[in-house]
Amino acid sequence: MVLSRTKVFVLRSIQAWRYHSWKRASQKMASSDVGDKPMVLTSHVDELFAYPQIFVPVMEKYFQVVWWEDFEKDMERYARHIQGVLVNGGLPKVTAELLDTLPNLRIISTLSVGMDHLDLQLLKSRGIKVSSVPDVSSDCVADWGMTLLTAAARRLPEAIKSATDTTTPFNYNILGKKITGSTLGIVGLGRIGYGIAERALGFKMKVLYFDIMRQPEREAALGLEFHSCLDQLLPNCDFIIIVVPLTPQTHGMMGREQFKLMKPSAIFINIARAPVVHQDQLVEALQNKTIQAAVLDVTSPEPLPPDHPLLHMPNVIITPHMGANSLESRRGVVEAGCESCTAAIRGGAIPREVVLK
């Protein structure tokens, strides 16, 4: 659903009123309630883009939270007390300039699996610990990957519009693609990729995978077929789902030549990171019917501009980077990030610490 500018304005106005009301109350109680809680910097409360209000009490259970807006207004007041930074959705941006202002910083705890938004070498050079949340939301993202595959295969958005939009003919003949017995290619057999393979077997799919390292135990456990070359995997698949981290090696790994190798009936799904795909070359492949359809939970930029061709193609489904967006998963991510941050501040072993090489 696309919100109109008026609805977004009203939503943000209500949200801002709630936030500032809560903030005033929190400030009044700060001196008595914070006690010995460490001070941690993070981004902002925003029901559309950042922390929903429901997660604020989770963080306040652990920390005296300093919001970015307050930090910018009075750095001298907060800077020397801040011992951790919680990064949510890439914010706040961790730069050398920010690190220079935080003399007692011990850890950057990112509430994500990917770390392409962090300069790990910079953090290593400063002796600052790093943690991520690689395992908390894996099941939720795997669920979402199969949800998107099913939605595309059965042309779900088109079906919903046909049944509910009175300006659209009610169409009994929206013919989708059968999933049972088809072949799925998984690019990247990490936690999420393995979870998708488990779910795909419930659909009686044949599952092939490509990864930079063969994983014989996982392969044997599920009866998966390994391909050491991506170009050899692609022509055999009815569905291809991308689940790799963004690294220099995976940046732009899916482009014109890879799309040409796929079946004309193939459905391409990206739940990884947008730069893994040459987006303009994907547009070309869809326009030329080199492949049948695409499903993107990630785009570049997010959101796409209103005139972007991907927004106006009937064979494309786009969702707002929401693979981990269940209440249970998001709460778990915040809890895990806070636990890692607390451990680093106390000088203990850090759960989910990222080893900086």
Side-chain angles (χ1 to χ4, degrees):
M1 179 179 69
V2 178
L3 295 177
S4 68
R5 291 178 182 271
T6 303
K7 288 181 180 178
V8 169
F9 175 78
V10 171
L11 178 60
R12 286 185 173 273
S13 298
I14 295 171
Q15 166 192 317
W17 175 80
R18 287 177 175 170
Y19 169 66
H20 289 294
S21 297
W22 156 79
K23 186 175 173 183
R24 286 192 295 271
S26 296
Q27 288 171 340
K28 288 179 182 179
M29 298 172 64
S31 59
S32 60
D33 286 353
V34 169
D36 296 327
K37 291 178 184 177
M39 193 175 285
V40 165
L41 175 66
T42 195
S43 58
H44 61 294
V45 177
D46 186 323
E47 299 299 322
L48 293 179
F49 299 109
Y51 293 105
Q53 184 70 47
I54 57 171
F55 295 135
V56 173
V58 177
M59 293 183 287
E60 290 183 333
K61 181 175 67 176
Y62 293 88
F63 309 119
Q64 180 180 356
V65 179
V66 179
W67 304 100
W68 181 257
E69 178 186 10
D70 299 324
F71 177 72
E72 279 194 307
K73 290 177 181 176
D74 197 351
M75 290 188 185
E76 290 186 8
R77 176 183 176 187
Y78 299 111
R80 67 186 180 88
H81 300 292
I82 290 172
Q83 298 182 69
V85 177
L86 290 173
V87 178
N88 181 35
L91 297 174
K93 292 184 178 179
V94 179
T95 63
E97 291 74 20
L98 175 61
L99 299 181
D100 289 341
T101 69
L102 305 175
N104 296 308
L105 181 66
R106 298 190 181 188
I107 184 170
I108 301 294
S109 182
T110 183
L111 307 183
S112 62
V113 177
M115 292 174 291
D116 46 284
H117 54 288
L118 297 178
D119 186 336
L120 298 180
Q121 290 305 308
L122 170 64
L123 295 171
K124 181 181 179 181
S125 71
R126 300 293 184 98
I128 296 169
K129 300 289 187 180
V130 177
S131 70
S132 63
V133 286
D135 53 344
V136 180
S137 58
S138 298
D139 279 335
C140 190
V141 180
D143 288 346
W144 188 236
M146 287 305 296
T147 299
L148 294 180
L149 184 154
T150 306
R154 300 302 300 270
R155 296 165 62 181
L156 184 60
E158 184 180 348
I160 292 172
K161 185 175 181 181
S162 171
T164 61
D165 185 346
T166 56
T167 65
T168 302
F170 193 98
N171 186 355
Y172 280 104
N173 291 317
I174 296 175
L175 302 178
K177 187 182 187 74
K178 185 180 179 182
I179 300 170
T180 301
S182 63
T183 299
L184 171 63
I186 300 174
V187 181
L189 198 70
R191 292 181 182 89
I192 297 169
Y194 186 76
I196 290 170
E198 289 180 310
R199 288 154 176 77
L201 294 179
F203 282 88
K204 300 179 182 178
M205 300 179 84
K206 180 179 180 181
V207 182
L208 321 180
Y209 80 96
F210 165 79
D211 201 290
I212 56 172
M213 293 182 63
R214 188 167 188 170
Q215 302 186 44
E217 290 185 8
R218 289 182 169 181
E219 184 180 322
L222 299 183
L224 310 181
E225 182 179 308
F226 173 67
H227 285 253
S228 60
C229 177
L230 177 62
D231 289 357
Q232 292 176 358
L233 174 143
L234 296 175
N236 299 296
C237 301
D238 301 300
F239 302 89
I240 297 99
I241 189 162
I242 310 299
V243 210
V244 295
L246 180 60
T247 67
Q249 291 72 37
T250 63
H251 192 286
M253 70 183 295
M254 301 300 300
R256 183 177 294 111
E257 296 308 311
Q258 287 70 42
F259 294 128
K260 285 181 180 178
L261 291 171
M262 297 178 191
K263 296 178 180 180
S265 58
I267 293 177
F268 175 78
I269 304 152
N270 185 13
I271 59 171
R273 289 289 185 268
V276 170
V277 180
H278 285 286
Q279 194 165 270
D280 56 340
Q281 295 177 21
L282 173 61
V283 171
E284 176 186 294
L286 291 163
Q287 290 174 333
N288 295 340
K289 299 184 179 180
T290 304
I291 61 175
Q292 179 177 314
V295 190
L296 307 173
D297 191 47
V298 288
T299 60
S300 181
E302 291 177 351
L304 291 171
D307 60 345
H308 197 283
L310 284 172
L311 295 177
H312 306 285
M313 292 182 173
N315 55 343
V316 175
I317 298 173
I318 298 177
T319 54
H321 203 145
M322 58 180 290
N325 281 9
S326 70
L327 177 61
E328 298 85 353
S329 177
R330 286 286 296 276
R331 183 181 294 276
V333 163
V334 175
E335 287 273 9
C338 290
E339 289 169 0
S340 295
C341 205
T342 299
I345 292 170
R346 291 176 176 172
I350 303 171
R352 305 174 181 87
E353 180 176 3
V354 176
V355 179
L356 303 180
K357 299 178 181 180

